[in-house]
Every structure is written in structure tokens, then in C-alpha cells.
Amino acid sequence: MNRLWSILFGVVMTLAVLAFVIAPAMGWWLPENIGTFYGVDTLFYVILATTGFFFVLTEAILVYNIFAFTDRGEKADYSHGNHRLEMFWTAVPGVLLLLLAILQIRTWEEIKYQTRMPTPDHVFEVSARQFEWRIRYPNAIQLDRITSAWQDKSEPALARNWQQFPHYDDVHVVNEVHTWKDANVRIYLKSKDVLHSFYLPNLRLKQDAVPGKTIPVWFRATRANTIYNEQTREWVDRYNYEKKRFDSSLRYDLACAELCGWGHYKMLGRLFVHPDREDYLNWLKSAQEKQRQTQAQ
Amino acid sequence: MSVHETKVHEEHHELSFIQKYIFSQDHKIIGIQFLFSGLIFLVLGGVLALLVRLQLGWPHADQGWLGQILDWSPAAGQRMSPEQYNTFFTMHATVMIFFVIIPLLTGAFGNFTIPLMIGAPDMAFPKLNMMSYWFMWPGFIIMLLSFSLGVAPGGAAGAGWTSYPTLASIGMPVGGGAESPAAPNSGWGQILWLLSLIFVGVSSMMGSVNYITTIINMRAPGMTLFRMPLTVWGMFITAILQAFALPVLTVALVLQTLDKTISTTFFLPPGVLEFGNWTTNPGGGQPILWQHLFWFYSHPAVYIMILPAMGIVSDVISTFSRKPLFGYRPMVYAICGIAGLGFIVWGHHMFQSGMDPRLGTGFMIATIMIALPSAVKTFNWLGTTWRGNLHLTTAMLNALGFVALFVIGGLSGLFMAATPVDVFIHDTYFIVAHIHYVLFMSSLFGIFAGIYYWFPKMFGRLMNETAGKVHFFLTFIFGNMTFYPMHLVGAAGLRRRIFDPTMTGFESNVQFLNQFMSVSAFLLGAAQLIFAVNFFYSLFWGKEAGRNPWRSNTLEWTTPSPPPHGNFEVTPVVYHGPYEYSVPGMEDDHVMQTRKLEGVPVGAGH
């Protein structure tokens, strides 16, 4: 009778495996990756496969032991262990874990090491505060100067200068990150008050914003979702260029991932990926025009 | 005076009620005191968790009569406000970690088992032991007071149990009082939170010094280090971890208290911070410094919350498998390995913090390697049950539950340890799933195993097995239903610590699972009533246990249940290790550690 407890363990652990099988179909899974950090997803699946194997192995042995050796009616084996077995199950997972660790290093460097970040096509500053993202874009001429100087000498002095000394004709936008398809973006990430975290799930990107520090962040978005609406004269996201219609799954959220106070949950923004640089510059011009009008009033 | 003192000493066994049960110096009573206060706070922590789940499942719903009670601020309507929500999850974690899990494992089981299992009459420093318990009380009272709006007008602390600056640490300009410009509940609530934890830290410190001394100095004749039960090993290494790591947290707490009260700037950066209409003076510190100090303690604290449970589970599994523990020495080395590596992995909490990414690489390798001793322990538990003769008592079921679920918690840790994957799942529900599999599904199952196992020794009566098994069955099922889907919503990117999970596209996709987890959590909470009833019923009307109801080997089972003051009638002499079950050629399948065997080759190697 007592050995039936193995069923409880067996059923729950089988359901645990099944949950991961059905989750992607139910939409409870990694959101669409529109960035270049494919490594994050690949490594997630590598670890999932490795841990999945050891999960099934250990739980199966446990369930079997409960089933086979409960109330056996004879004395248990008298054994204090097995030296060779210990060596085996120390060495094999040890080597596997070390390999798993080494496997991670390249992708990590690609995402976070400043020296590995590509020369940018697009530069802007994100300044987090309770509870919004204030974004400062260089105007078209400024952007051109910054990026071409960087490309010529691979020397970001001009960008750094722009970041430290804001220009009167910079374009200020709240909660809207604008870039264009396939542009290498470099962000200067800051915080004005408390810790925040710049989180773009669709780009597999997350970086805390720390008051007192300016942290470089980079990404490249490879799928456009933004189009100019002639009627409202506004740029709108969620546009599917392949199917030529709006699609709510193409909404790319920007969220704050580090607790920053009561409004943390609603410190949100959107990522607008324009189809090309020209479209982006059109938007920039219109945003600049809007800003001028507001200032004039 | 001296006459009077001598008299008291002679009347060892006729202490007044207060000396015997309240300001007691008997390690067993102190252990039971820790047990009761821990279980009471478990109720508080659990209710806070259910409030969090209520909000996450139905973020816009009218909360009825509960909403009317929670309706502190008129702006929010008849429901909890975002500030209250922040307070609830902050206090849930604080209470569970500092008032429940650590005191239950080290305070309750450490105090109760260590002297009994090593054959000592009491702790090395009984008065210090008493102080260790009573230093918890100022902590308890201060933390509970912070819930009172009269004491902390902005509400109890709500900056997360991690209390990261500058949200937690920022103070008002001169003349602005003790409230915080960053969050209403980072004012007095945060100051009281800090003070409370300083008391708790001092308490743990006194406990750990006592445990280390007792284990080193007071073992019975023949009780060599490698004849100690693994529970004692777990407690020993835990105490060492606490002794080395806790001072760092205490210092950090003091520094933040100074930042908040007398405007020091340990965690305020050099630049000027803007809060609404006013700006701070430039500081000279770093917010990230807090994270280093905090995690230097709080990561080892994770092992403080699991190593004793691992020890308990090892003892329970060996006893009820009627089989010697598989690989005793590798098990001990694994505990030491976890503790050693535990000191150099704290940075994995900070991969996205703005710390130099090269440091991240180093911390990642150390963190991934710490899975190795955990794996070794799991394999050895499986080895112990292999070809055993399993007796599925409630204690054993909880111990097996620990093994089954610790595997999940251990393996999910690898995802966060891997720096690139952590970029995505950091601060999502994936980490919430991981920590609850380790701390709820593992540590708490270890605690339940320990309670069912030692209850007869503590109170002389057995807990009801049928009720215990129903409790285990429901906790196992509802626990998994509550915490397992957190992996999936975490993979979908759902952020932790948010008041409303339906505001973004990627998060509203999983709202169904949020409701599913909330319903499961309520059922899980309700199932614990069975435990409470069983506990109190058995306390008075349980079956009498006798000395050794489980036919176990270790020294505590040679004493009467409950053991008298002073524990042992005569000092026990130990002849072999603690796990001599099913020795061939013997009729009985267990051999007490005090029993000398002639001609039987017992316990090869130890």
C-alpha cells in the first residue's frame, strides 16, 4: 500500500515535464526575440536540455526507489557507500558544469563588454526617474557628426562630450525608444533618483540604471514595427510589414525591472523600430517640431 | 547573596515557572521557544503572501471587506494600494527569512538537537543562549510596530527585503522629518526595519558562537567529528557561515541606518539626485556598495537556510531507509564545499547591477560550480534509499519531498547562474520560482520532516500520522501548483514585485497562470490548518512516544522523552557512527551509538 506514494511523486514530476512541453503552445514562453542576442535563447535551451536530463534521471530513480524498496519485508543492504561511484558522480557533473560555464562566456561578453560593443549607428541617452524614462536624442546633424566621428577613428569622444553636455537642440521624448531596423544602438543609461532597470524583453536586454553612474548599453533590433499613419500624422507601432497589417504581438514593451517605488509596475515605455534610417529621421524631425511648438507656447 | 545562589544551583530541577519556561537556560526549552515563535510568524508571513497573490491574480478587482480594512489611503479606493502591496511583499520575505526559516532551522532545531545529538548536558553558554532568544523579541516588536500607522505614518518598509539604496536609504532635506522622498514607506518603516534586523543579527551571532563552541568542546567521549550525525554537521557549518558573514550585514544595516538618520552618505552617489522639487546634496558613496555588503551576507544566508535542512533530511532518510547513509564523508565534504564556495558567489545577484561585467564572468563560474556539491548530495540521498527498506512515515515523506523538490530548485539555479540567460530572467518570476523551490519547497519540507521526526522527543508524544500524511499530500500538490508555473511566467518575462501584471503585452499573456497560482496558494495556505490542528492536538492528546519511537541510532533517542534538564542520566559513550542500520548478522536492524558491538565489523572507516 505504502509504495503507492511513488505514484504521487511520479505523477507530479511527469506533469512538471509536461508543463514545459505545452507552455510554448499556450504562449507562456519566451517572447519573440527581435534582437541579435540569440545566444541568450540558445543557452537557455542548452541549460533546459541539460537540467531536463538530470531532472528526469534523478526523479525517476527516486520514484523507482520509493516504489521498489518501500516495506520490502527484508533487511536493507548494509553499505556505507562506494568510492568509485562517488568519484564518477562528482567528476562527470563537474566536467559538465565547467563546460556549461565556459559556454556562457562569449555571449556574456557580446552583450555587456564595452570593448566588444559594435561602433554605433545610433546614439542616445536614457535617463530613468520615478516613474518614467526620459530619453534624449541628438538631432539629425548632431547624430551624423557623432556616428561618423566614431566610425572614422573608432573614437567616441564626441559622443561622450554630447552625453555630458546636453545641447539646446536635443530632442527630448518620454517613454518612447526609437531606432531603426538593423541599426547598432548605443545608449548612455543613467538614473536621476533611485535604481531602475532598463528591460527590453524582446531584445533579451536588461541593465540596471544606477544613480551616479553612466552605463553603456547596446542592441540591434532586426524587425521593424513602426509606420507613419497619414491620417493621424503620427508614428504608430505594432505594424507587421510582412503581412501589411497591425498585429498586437508586435508590441515591444520597455519596462522597469528593478523595484523603484510605488509606481514601479507602471514605469513602462515602448520600443519603436522604424524600417530605415530615413523614416527615423523623419520622425525625429517631427518630434523636434512638436518640441519647438511646445517651447514657443 | 552567594548563599542564595548556591541554593538555586542545588535546586536544579525545581526552577520557578519563569525560569523554567520563559527565561529558560535549558537548550531544549529555548529550542521550543524558537519553534513556537517561528511557527507564529510563519502564519503572518503566509497571510502576507496570500495578500500578494490576491493582488496578482485579480489586480483590478474590488477587494470587498478586505479592501475596506486595507483602505488606508483614500486615493486607492476600497482595495490595497501599490504602496501597501510593496509593503506586503517586502514584509513577507523579511518575516519568512529572518523570523521563520533561519530561527526555525538554527534556533529551534539547532538548539534542540546539537547538545542531545553530541551527548552534551546543555549548550556551552546557557545564559548566552537565553539572550540569543530574547534578543529576537525587540526585533519582533519593532517589526510589528512598523505596521502601525501611528508609529510609521507611511507604512511598514516597502523597498524589498533587499532594501536597495537609494530607494530605501534616501532621507529628507533638513527639517523634512524622517519620511522619505523616494517612497512613503521608506521613512520610519525603513528605519524600524533596519533596527529590527540589527537585533535579529545580534541574536543569530550569539547563537552561532554558542553552536560552534558546543560542537567543538562538548562532544561525548567517543563522539569524533566524523561520528557526528549530519544534522550536527549542517548546524556546525551553518554556524561558521553565520559567524563570518553576519558581521558584514550588521555593519551594512548600521551604515544604512546612519544614512537615514544622521545624513551620512555611504550609499549616496557623488552626483546630485532629484526627487520632485528638491535635490540631495552630493554624496560620496555608492548605491552598489550596499549590494556587495548585503549579498556578502545574504547569499551565504541562503545556505544557512538550506544546510541544516539537508542535515535533518539526511538523518531522516537514513533512519527510515533502515540503511547507513550512503557516502557519509562525501556528504560532509559537500556541506563544506557548499559553504566554502558560498562565500565567493554573492556577485551572481548583481550581474545586471552595473558591476564590471568581467567580475560577472568570475562569479558565474563559481556559481555554476556550486551546483556540484549539491548534486553530490542528491546522488547520495538516492544512494541511501537504493535497496533500503523504506518506512514511509510522515517525516520520511517530507524528507523525500525535500529531495524531489530540491532537485528542481537546484537545477533552476543554473539558469540564473548563467550570465547571458540571467540578462533575460533576472528580476522576473523565474527567480521567484527558484527561491521558493529552495526556501519553501525545500527548507520548509525539511522543517516539517524535522518537526514530525523530533516532535516525540520534544513533547513526549507522537503526532498523528494520518493527518500528517494528508498534510504532506496536499502541501506537495498545492505547493507545486503554486510555485511551478512561476518558471513559465518567468520565461515569458513577467517581472517580480509589480502591483499590476496586466499592463504590458508580454505580461498580460500569462494572467491566467497568475490566477491559477493564486487559487493554488490559497489552497496551500488552507492545507496548513491540518498541520496546526495536528500539532496542537498531538501536544496534549498524542500517543505516548517512549524513548525511541523510530528505532533510531543517535544519542537523543537514548534519553527519556522529553529529556530532563541535563539531558543524560550518565554521560553517554559513543562507539561508532550514527547510521549503523541493518548490520548483517544482527536481529535488530538498528544499533544505538552507545552500544558496543564485539566481533561485528561496524561502520568501516568511522
Side-chain angles (χ1 to χ4, degrees):
Chain A
M1 239 339 251
N2 272 328
R3 59 173 55 191
L4 293 184
W5 280 101
S6 58
I7 296 174
L8 173 70
F9 285 80
V11 167
V12 169
M13 295 310 152
T14 310
L15 288 175
V17 175
L18 280 180
F20 269 86
V21 176
I22 62 160
M26 301 294 289
W28 306 326
W29 204 238
L30 305 174
E32 184 196 1
N33 187 345
I34 59 151
T36 54
F37 303 145
Y38 308 114
V40 173
D41 293 16
T42 313
L43 292 167
F44 180 88
Y45 287 112
V46 168
I47 298 175
L48 189 63
T50 317
T51 54
F53 172 77
F54 281 99
F55 174 77
V56 173
L57 179 76
T58 45
E59 302 290 2
I61 295 174
L62 183 69
V63 170
Y64 174 78
N65 285 1
I66 297 173
F67 178 77
F69 305 122
T70 293
D71 301 332
R72 206 150 55 112
E74 56 179 298
K75 251 183 167 180
D77 283 16
Y78 182 71
S79 153
H80 286 88
N82 181 323
H83 189 70
R84 290 174 73 177
L85 208 53
E86 297 285 351
M87 297 301 283
F88 173 74
W89 68 39
T90 309
V92 171
V95 172
L96 270 177
L97 287 168
L98 195 61
L99 285 176
L100 207 58
I102 292 168
L103 208 60
Q104 314 290 327
I105 295 175
R106 255 188 68 176
T107 309
W108 174 244
E109 289 179 351
E110 180 195 340
I111 301 173
K112 296 273 176 169
Y113 279 32
Q114 215 183 135
T115 46
R116 304 286 168 90
M117 294 181 184
T119 307
D121 308 308
H122 185 20
V123 174
F124 56 91
E125 179 197 79
V126 174
S127 199
R129 51 158 284 168
Q130 290 176 327
F131 300 97
E132 64 190 21
W133 304 95
R134 294 195 170 177
I135 303 166
R136 182 166 65 90
Y137 296 94
N139 67 27
I141 302 164
Q142 193 66 249
L143 178 64
D144 211 39
R145 282 179 58 201
I146 290 172
T147 50
S148 56
W150 203 323
Q151 272 149 10
D152 291 346
K153 300 171 211 146
S154 68
E155 168 39 45
L158 207 57
R160 237 183 267 146
N161 190 284
W162 171 82
Q163 183 268 315
Q164 281 168 5
F165 305 104
H167 275 233
Y168 70 94
D169 56 355
D170 290 336
V171 182
H172 296 264
V173 176
V174 176
N175 290 342
E176 287 188 10
V177 174
H178 284 263
T179 178
W180 64 93
K181 189 168 170 277
D182 295 327
N184 289 325
V185 179
R186 184 74 61 96
I187 300 172
Y188 293 102
L189 184 62
K190 296 165 141 184
S191 168
K192 284 180 187 293
D193 40 33
V194 300
L195 293 180
H196 300 277
S197 193
F198 186 77
Y199 174 33
L200 286 165
N202 295 93
L203 288 163
R204 307 292 185 262
L205 181 65
K206 191 177 285 134
Q207 175 60 57
D208 284 9
V210 183
K213 288 186 98 170
T214 303
I215 300 172
V217 176
W218 90 275
F219 68 81
R220 179 162 76 230
T222 56
R223 182 168 187 187
N225 74 338
T226 303
I227 195 166
Y228 182 64
N229 185 331
E230 305 273 353
Q231 277 147 13
T232 58
R233 296 189 182 174
E234 273 173 347
W235 272 264
V236 277
D237 63 347
R238 305 186 225 187
Y239 187 72
N240 188 331
Y241 274 92
E242 288 90 59
K243 293 182 182 162
K244 305 234 179 291
R245 61 179 169 82
F246 286 95
D247 180 348
S248 63
S249 71
L250 265 72
R251 161 178 161 173
Y252 303 138
D253 292 283
L254 160 67
C256 177
E258 183 69 63
L259 179 66
C260 61
W262 71 268
H264 165 57
Y265 67 103
K266 57 171 194 174
M267 184 166 167
L268 304 170
R270 292 282 186 78
L271 173 68
F272 292 80
V273 186
H274 294 265
D276 48 41
R277 188 167 189 265
E278 202 192 329
D279 193 60
Y280 167 75
L281 291 178
N282 285 337
W283 167 80
L284 188 69
K285 215 175 281 171
S286 86
Q288 199 171 10
E289 193 51 43
K290 241 184 237 170
Q291 180 173 300
R292 250 184 230 138
Q293 283 166 9
T294 331
Q295 277 165 353
Q297 276 164 8
Chain B
M1 235 0 234
S2 65
V3 176
H4 179 70
E5 273 174 16
T6 324
K7 210 177 148 202
V8 170
H9 193 73
E10 282 168 359
E11 288 170 1
H12 208 76
H13 296 284
E14 284 165 53
L15 299 165
S16 69
F17 181 82
I18 288 184
Q19 282 170 314
K20 201 169 170 185
Y21 293 111
I22 298 177
F23 294 105
S24 173
Q25 298 180 25
D26 181 345
H27 73 99
K28 299 181 292 294
I29 301 295
I30 296 171
I32 289 166
Q33 287 173 330
F34 269 112
L35 180 69
F36 275 96
S37 46
L39 290 175
I40 289 167
F41 276 96
L42 182 62
V43 176
L44 174 65
V47 168
L48 289 167
L50 295 184
L51 286 170
V52 169
R53 285 292 355 154
L54 176 72
Q55 172 62 24
L56 285 172
W58 301 272
H60 312 292
D62 188 351
Q63 289 165 347
W65 58 270
L66 192 64
Q68 286 179 14
I69 299 173
L70 294 172
D71 187 14
W72 292 341
S73 61
Q78 290 194 344
R79 60 192 331 285
M80 73 174 78
S81 63
E83 291 94 329
Q84 281 173 328
Y85 174 80
N86 287 4
T87 289
F88 293 153
F89 70 69
T90 300
M91 283 304 184
H92 162 65
T94 307
V95 164
M96 287 299 196
I97 289 167
F98 293 105
F99 291 176
V100 179
I101 303 285
I102 296 181
L104 279 180
L105 282 174
T106 61
F109 289 119
N111 263 310
F112 188 81
T113 60
I114 291 172
L116 280 170
M117 288 184 117
I118 61 171
D122 206 316
M123 284 285 182
F125 311 116
K127 275 207 180 99
L128 191 70
N129 205 13
M130 176 183 79
M131 275 173 64
S132 153
Y133 179 68
W134 287 102
F135 255 73
M136 290 295 284
W137 274 90
F140 291 158
I141 291 167
I142 293 172
M143 196 67 88
L144 288 175
L145 272 181
S146 76
F147 278 97
S148 152
L149 290 179
V151 178
W161 81 279
T162 50
S163 280
Y164 279 0
T166 49
L167 178 63
S169 70
I170 205 79
M172 285 297 246
V174 179
E179 291 315 306
S180 161
N185 44 13
S186 287
W188 271 110
Q190 183 63 25
I191 295 174
L192 295 173
W193 185 91
L194 292 160
L195 292 178
S196 169
L197 290 192
I198 291 173
F199 278 104
V200 174
V202 173
S203 158
S204 294
M205 199 69 212
M206 291 192 281
S208 70
V209 169
N210 218 342
Y211 300 165
I212 296 171
T213 315
T214 307
I215 292 171
I216 292 180
N217 279 346
M218 299 191 49
R219 278 169 285 130
M223 178 63 86
T224 60
L225 281 178
F226 282 105
R227 282 178 181 171
M228 294 198 309
L230 274 182
T231 300
V232 180
W233 265 111
M235 298 293 173
F236 184 41
I237 302 297
T238 297
I240 294 172
L241 275 176
Q242 272 188 328
F244 282 94
L246 201 51
V248 178
L249 177 73
T250 311
V251 166
L253 292 169
V254 170
L255 294 183
Q256 196 179 117
T257 312
L258 295 178
D259 264 19
K260 282 206 80 71
T261 50
I262 62 165
S263 298
T264 53
T265 57
F266 294 107
F267 305 120
L268 188 65
V272 169
L273 304 190
E274 301 169 17
F275 291 94
N277 289 331
W278 77 279
T279 52
T280 63
N281 294 324
Q286 273 299 334
I288 294 183
L289 172 64
W290 166 269
Q291 298 183 27
H292 281 291
L293 296 174
F294 181 84
W295 289 117
F296 187 85
Y297 166 73
S298 293
H299 195 78
V302 173
Y303 302 115
I304 289 169
M305 291 183 270
I306 197 79
L307 292 181
M310 287 174 161
I312 292 169
V313 162
S314 305
D315 278 1
V316 171
I317 287 186
S318 175
T319 301
F320 294 110
S321 297
R322 314 308 295 167
K323 187 164 175 276
L325 189 72
F326 200 87
Y328 176 91
R329 280 185 187 238
M331 286 295 245
V332 172
Y333 300 146
I335 293 181
C336 300
I338 291 175
L341 278 171
F343 273 108
I344 54 163
V345 297
W346 81 87
H348 67 228
H349 297 270
M350 300 167 61
F351 287 152
Q352 318 309 331
S353 70
M355 177 179 78
D356 190 320
R358 286 170 299 179
L359 267 173
T361 309
F363 279 123
M364 170 186 68
I365 293 169
T367 305
I368 289 187
M369 292 318 289
I370 208 168
L372 183 57
S374 313
V376 168
K377 292 196 79 73
T378 305
F379 295 141
N380 277 305
W381 285 318
L382 295 178
T384 307
T385 50
W386 179 258
R387 298 195 62 75
N389 180 15
L390 272 56
H391 294 194
L392 296 186
T393 58
T394 311
M396 179 63 161
L397 284 172
N398 278 284
L400 293 171
F402 173 101
V403 176
L405 302 173
F406 176 74
V407 169
I408 299 181
L411 291 174
S412 68
L414 283 176
F415 290 82
M416 264 89 55
T419 43
V421 180
D422 183 71
V423 176
F424 177 60
I425 59 179
H426 192 89
D427 274 323
T428 68
Y429 260 79
F430 206 93
I431 179 73
V432 181
H434 169 69
I435 196 170
H436 283 95
Y437 264 91
V438 181
L439 289 190
F440 185 100
M441 304 297 272
S442 301
S443 293
L444 207 60
F445 272 102
I447 287 170
F448 283 139
I451 290 177
Y452 286 109
Y453 183 63
W454 280 302
F455 189 90
K457 189 50 64 185
M458 287 179 174
F459 305 108
R461 292 174 186 278
L462 290 159
M463 285 180 82
N464 184 296
E465 280 288 303
T466 312
K469 283 175 180 171
V470 173
H471 169 238
F472 167 76
F473 181 82
L474 295 178
T475 308
F476 192 77
I477 288 184
F478 294 141
N480 279 303
M481 280 164 60
T482 305
F483 298 114
Y484 198 80
M486 288 183 184
H487 294 108
L488 305 178
V489 298
L494 177 68
R495 294 169 292 156
R496 66 194 289 208
R497 294 173 169 175
I498 53 170
F499 176 69
D500 182 352
T502 60
M503 292 189 66
T504 63
F506 64 100
E507 283 164 334
S508 43
N509 284 345
V510 297
Q511 189 54 21
F512 168 75
L513 281 182
N514 267 327
Q515 291 174 352
F516 177 81
M517 290 186 283
S518 292
V519 172
S520 308
F522 298 142
L523 294 170
L524 177 62
Q528 304 315 307
L529 293 175
I530 302 170
F531 175 78
V533 171
N534 190 1
F535 188 93
F536 286 106
Y537 177 86
S538 307
L539 212 50
F540 300 106
W541 299 287
K543 218 168 75 184
E544 299 247 357
R547 280 181 188 239
N548 192 358
W550 314 123
R551 294 185 299 122
S552 185
N553 287 351
T554 41
L555 293 181
E556 75 270 32
W557 304 106
T558 63
T559 65
S561 304
H565 198 145
N567 295 346
F568 299 92
E569 289 102 334
V570 286
T571 306
V573 180
V574 174
Y575 292 100
H576 49 77
Y579 302 116
E580 295 310 318
Y581 293 101
S582 304
V583 178
M586 288 188 59
E587 206 166 303
D588 208 357
D589 67 354
H590 76 121
V591 186
M592 304 295 290
Q593 280 190 283
T594 49
R595 185 166 157 198
K596 195 172 181 179
L597 288 178
E598 304 283 353
V600 182
V602 145
H606 49 90

